[in-house]
Every structure is written in structure tokens, then in C-alpha cells.
Amino acid sequence: MAQMISTMPMVDAAPAVSAIMSKLQQSSPSCLDTPPASGITVVSRQHVRPDAPSATGDLTLSVSDLPMLSCHYIQKGLFFPAPDLPMSSLVSLLESSLSRALAVVPALAGRLVTLPDDRIVIRCNDAGVDFLHAVAPDLTLDDFLVPDADVPTRLTKDLFPMDRTVSYEGHRRPLTSFQVTVLGDGAVFIGIVANHAVVDGTSFWHFFNTWAAICRGEAPKLLDFRRNFFGDSTAVLRFPGGVGPAVTFDVDAPLRERVFHFSADAIREMKAIANNRRGGHHDDAEVYGKMAHDPKNTEISSFQSLCAQIWLAVTRARKRLAPDATTTFRMAVNCRHRLRPAISPVYFGNAIQSAVTTATVSELARHDLRWAAGKLNASVAAYGDGAIRRAAAAWQAKPGCFPLGNPDGSVITMGSSNRFPMYEGNDFGWGRAIAVRSGRANKFDGKMSAFPGRAGDGSVDIEVCLPPETMAALLRDDEFMQYVSCPSHLL
């Protein structure tokens, strides 16, 4: 497949996009969606089913899946350079490879079903998914990837279908939807929307990799569909009358969104400071002493160092917080390798919990990067088998949906991971992705997502959502901004 793509002649996509739009304008208006203000127009919708019938039975939602029923579907995607094949061939190739990928991961082509005993299962019934082809003849990569500027959310939101759909709706709607958008300069965005009660970030990117591998003619890795993450739980969530939950935050609250790039050198510098490799004053000997003598805390990681810098800076930028207010840093942790015995790294479903670290505003103001990083390090290091089992037991004793949001204005929620294979493994056959972007799903004050840097050199991109006044203050913070740079591929 990859060889076939590489030998096809380069095609200028702009005339093709214009021709499609012209033809559609001459036909019935019902042929396409009403063009949104963004200029991104859906020109075709196909319902795609797996190319082979599923032999997978019902998959019961676990203690980690069920709380996500009140969350929006995950929306993530990748920009790619212009492919060396006609647009019609591109769409056909992606659609056919998607059908084969769904046969490998049949759960994503199913639906949620509530059983008479109130258990909720993924019924792998090959009901299928929606595959949308969209065009944006007046937009280019430069409109989306603007250095030193906010993410143009009025544009990016239309790169994804099922905008702000709540995961409980998987009872009635597809568990995944896909949109391929071709820009006027020929660049392509591939967006996936996936039910958050069915997948976490690890499973989401495993499927993205599976689709890409099949598209370029390679055999994909097989996933583990065993329900062995607290699979013996009998706890259920009940929704009388089939009325599902709503998200637990204000979706209309004003936000600014920006992707901050931290080079590998900048992260190394923060890590060196956090681990006291550059000298400096120890202002809390007790904490540092415990860290030095605990084998689990021998070194603060690069990511913990970066998160500490963000925690300090965002707290400074939240001018309205009282000195005695408690700030909270929530970090998503992958439980697969932390359980004893561990479950498979390719376990399909949610296997995540949240490691919580707290400190008052005045404590963060008094202390330095190393102190904040040490607090985060201790929380993550303590999140092993025992902590996971205690959290699962607490949820089973009082089941409920996960309370996303920031009701007191002092929380940071770090999701996604710079270790996810967003660039590695996602070549569909015509080149490495250029950038990751997400939709409007699950975004609120303090919501952040970590992405690996495109260069694969240890750099990290952090997508940050904050109220306008907090973002403005953060951008004026020289102590924070000294570590921020522009990735070389956007210069």
C-alpha cells in the first residue's frame, strides 16, 4: 500500500476542492451540510461497517469506564502534508482501511446497551460508524498552526463531528466517528471522535495506530479485550428512564486555548533544577531528605518538572485566589503497569485514575520549582497497586460519574500524555504528521493536555485552556515564558 502511494504523481488539491464545491453548489442543497462560518464543509457521509463479522461478545463497562459516561467523546486528530494521490483515491483508501481496522477493534463499531440488571455493555454488533469527508478550499495549514497565538477554536471545532456529544449517548449514536478534511493547500486533517466510556487515551491512540498501519499495508498490533481491570465488580450506575447524565462543567464559559511548546533543552533545564543539579537553596530539608532516601523518589521526572512549572505559573496567574486557598493538580495516571499483577499494555478500555496533589496558594508562592515538583513526584510515586485498589473500592461503594471541571477556580487537570504515539506509528502512507489538535470536548478552566513534540527529541507540547484574564497573565509571566519556544517546523 505504501509503495503504491509513493509512486503516484503529485496532485494539486486546490483545483479538486474547488471543483467539488462548484459541483455541489449546482446540485440540491440537501447534498451537503450548511457551510459553517469556519468555511469547513462536509461533502459526503458514509456509514462504514467492519469488513468481517465480529466474534467478540458483549464487553462490560468497568469501574474505570462507567464514570466516563458523563464526559464528552474524545476528539483528537492530526494534520498531515498533502498526499501524493488524487483526493477521491485518498478518501476511498481511508474508508476501506477503516473498515478493516474496525474488524480488528470491533468494539468501536458497536453500541452501548443497558441490560436488565443495569449493567452497561459494549455490544459488538457491527452497527458501524460515520465517516465524513469535508473540504475547506479557503483555508490552509497556516490558518490553523499560527506561531505565538491562540488556537483558532472557531475553525478547529469543525474538524470533528459529534461536537460535545456526551458518552452516554453511545446507546443511540455510533461509538466512534471519523472526519477527513482536505484544506485548500492540499494538507489533510484526520480527526477521530471516540466514546470516552469505551476508550481512554491509550486505547484511542492504539486504534489510531491500527488504522494507520492497515492503511500503509502493515499488520496491526492486536489489542486485549479481556475484561480483567476489576472485571469482577458488580457495581452499576443507574439512569432511570434512560435519561443520561450531563457534563459537570459550564461548556459556555469563556476560554482561551493555546499550545505551548517546550523544547528538549528547556525541559532538561527544568528537570536539573527540580533535581538540584544546578545548586540552589533547600528551603524544606524534611521533604528533600525524604525524597533523597526513598528509592521510589530517587529522581523527579522531566514531565513532573514541567508540570510543577505550570502549576506555579498558573497559580500566580489566577490573581483572585486567596493566599490560604487550596490549589489542586490532577494528573491522569495509566493503571495498566501499576497494578499487581499488571494488565496488558494493550488492554482495551479505560484503565486510568487521577493522582491528586494539593498545596495552598501561599505555599506555592513561598517555595520553588523543586518543592512543587517533589510534591507531584511523591503523589505519582505513591500511586501503585494499593492506591488503585482503594480508589476502585471507594467508587464501587458509591458509584458515580467523574466530576470534570473546576468549580472553585483553583484546579489544574492534566490529561493525555507526552508518551502517547501520536506521531510514531500514525503515518498513513504519505508522511509523518505535522501537528496534533483537539476539538472542544471536555474543556474548562485549567484543563490541559500533554502531547509529544513532533521532533521526537523529548520536547513536549501542552494544550492549555484558561479564562481570558488568566491566560493574559500567564503570557506576561517571564519566569514561565522563558521556557516556551516555537517548534522549528512552524518557524
Side-chain angles (χ1 to χ4, degrees):
M1 191 74 70
Q3 288 79 4
M4 178 189 74
I5 294 173
S6 64
T7 57
M8 298 192 75
M10 175 66 77
V11 174
D12 184 356
V17 173
S18 299
I20 287 177
M21 293 303 298
S22 176
K23 188 176 296 184
L24 285 167
Q25 289 164 1
Q26 296 169 15
S27 61
S28 169
S30 62
C31 291
L32 68 162
D33 289 355
T34 301
S38 66
I40 300 171
T41 303
V42 174
V43 295
S44 71
R45 296 172 182 265
Q46 302 294 329
H47 198 69
V48 179
R49 299 179 189 271
D51 75 341
S54 171
T56 305
D58 289 349
L59 303 176
T60 304
L61 295 190
S62 76
V63 299
S64 195
D65 298 322
L66 288 167
M68 301 299 178
L69 286 168
S70 64
C71 298
H72 290 141
Y73 278 51
I74 299 172
Q75 295 178 315
K76 294 285 193 303
L78 296 164
F79 282 105
F80 290 89
D84 296 348
L85 73 168
M87 189 162 31
S88 59
S89 300
L90 166 70
V91 173
S92 177
L93 173 64
L94 291 172
E95 185 179 334
S96 62
S97 58
L98 175 59
S99 177
R100 297 196 297 277
L102 291 171
V104 176
V105 190
L108 294 182
R111 296 292 185 272
L112 297 182
V113 175
T114 298
L115 302 180
D117 62 1
D118 289 322
R119 286 184 301 128
I120 300 177
V121 301
I122 306 166
R123 180 146 294 166
C124 302
N125 57 5
D126 302 329
V129 305
D130 290 331
F131 178 83
L132 285 66
H133 170 207
V135 295
D138 297 325
L139 298 174
T140 69
L141 269 177
D142 289 343
D143 293 305
F144 291 91
L145 307 180
V146 185
D148 300 321
D150 289 1
V151 173
T153 53
R154 68 177 185 84
L155 302 180
T156 55
K157 70 181 179 64
D158 290 329
L159 295 171
F160 300 92
M162 299 181 71
D163 185 39
R164 290 178 170 173
T165 300
V166 176
S167 291
Y168 185 85
E169 288 298 307
H171 283 81
R172 293 172 279 274
R173 303 187 66 178
L175 297 182
T176 45
S177 289
F178 305 80
Q179 182 171 317
V180 177
T181 303
V182 183
L183 306 184
D185 57 0
V188 173
F189 185 83
I190 298 178
I192 298 181
V193 180
N195 192 297
H196 210 333
V198 175
V199 297
D200 61 7
T202 298
S203 293
F204 179 95
W205 289 105
H206 277 157
F207 179 77
F208 219 132
N209 290 175
T210 295
W211 185 17
I214 290 173
C215 189
R216 64 176 182 265
E218 296 180 8
K221 293 181 180 178
L222 298 181
L223 303 186
D224 184 350
F225 294 100
R226 290 176 296 172
R227 301 284 88 186
N228 59 346
F229 186 72
F230 299 98
D232 56 351
S233 172
T234 58
V236 296
L237 274 179
R238 292 183 172 88
F239 300 96
V243 178
V247 294
T248 54
F249 56 92
D250 182 3
V251 297
D252 296 318
L255 290 175
R256 289 178 62 181
E257 179 180 325
R258 187 175 282 235
V259 177
F260 292 97
H261 177 75
F262 300 89
S263 69
D265 286 342
I267 292 173
R268 276 192 290 270
E269 182 177 350
M270 285 183 274
K271 182 177 180 180
I273 295 171
N275 286 286
N276 199 36
R277 293 178 186 151
R278 293 179 46 179
H281 178 64
H282 289 188
D283 58 353
D284 195 328
E286 181 182 1
V287 172
Y288 294 143
K290 287 179 179 178
M291 287 169 53
H293 292 95
D294 186 345
K296 296 179 181 178
N297 291 307
T298 54
E299 184 173 70
I300 296 169
S301 75
S302 299
F303 189 65
Q304 291 162 4
S305 305
L306 172 57
C307 286
Q309 189 67 253
I310 292 170
W311 191 14
L312 292 166
V314 171
T315 301
R316 288 194 297 268
R318 288 172 165 165
K319 305 296 186 183
R320 298 181 184 180
L321 291 180
D324 61 349
T326 297
T327 70
T328 302
F329 196 106
R330 292 184 175 274
M331 187 182 299
V333 292
N334 183 354
C335 298
R336 290 167 174 81
H337 63 287
R338 296 175 183 272
L339 271 179
R340 293 294 178 270
I343 60 175
S344 169
V346 292
Y347 169 88
F348 180 85
N350 287 276
I352 52 173
Q353 290 181 2
S354 182
V356 177
T357 309
T358 61
T360 65
V361 172
S362 61
E363 284 177 324
L364 290 176
R366 286 199 314 271
H367 295 95
D368 59 7
L369 173 66
R370 185 163 191 259
W371 184 89
K375 295 274 287 183
L376 294 172
N377 175 272
S379 295
V380 174
Y383 219 90
D385 180 78
I388 294 168
R389 294 185 185 278
R390 287 191 294 273
W395 186 89
Q396 291 175 83
K398 190 178 180 180
C401 289
F402 187 70
L404 275 179
N406 185 6
D408 65 0
S410 64
V411 179
I412 291 173
T413 301
M414 181 65 72
S416 192
S417 174
N418 58 308
R419 296 183 177 181
F420 287 159
M422 300 182 188
Y423 295 100
E424 301 301 325
N426 276 328
D427 183 347
F428 281 76
W430 66 87
R432 186 181 179 86
I434 297 170
V436 183
R437 285 297 181 266
S438 64
R440 297 195 296 176
N442 301 312
K443 289 184 175 175
F444 47 85
D445 174 13
K447 178 61 168 62
M448 303 186 186
S449 295
F451 307 146
R454 180 180 186 267
D457 58 355
S459 58
V460 177
D461 294 333
I462 303 290
E463 178 190 80
V464 176
C465 297
L466 293 170
E469 66 277 10
T470 308
M471 183 69 81
L474 182 65
L475 292 170
R476 293 193 298 268
D477 188 333
D478 292 339
E479 188 175 343
F480 172 74
M481 292 300 294
Q482 66 176 319
Y483 295 108
V484 176
S485 59
C486 182
S488 58
H489 67 282
L490 296 183
L491 292 175

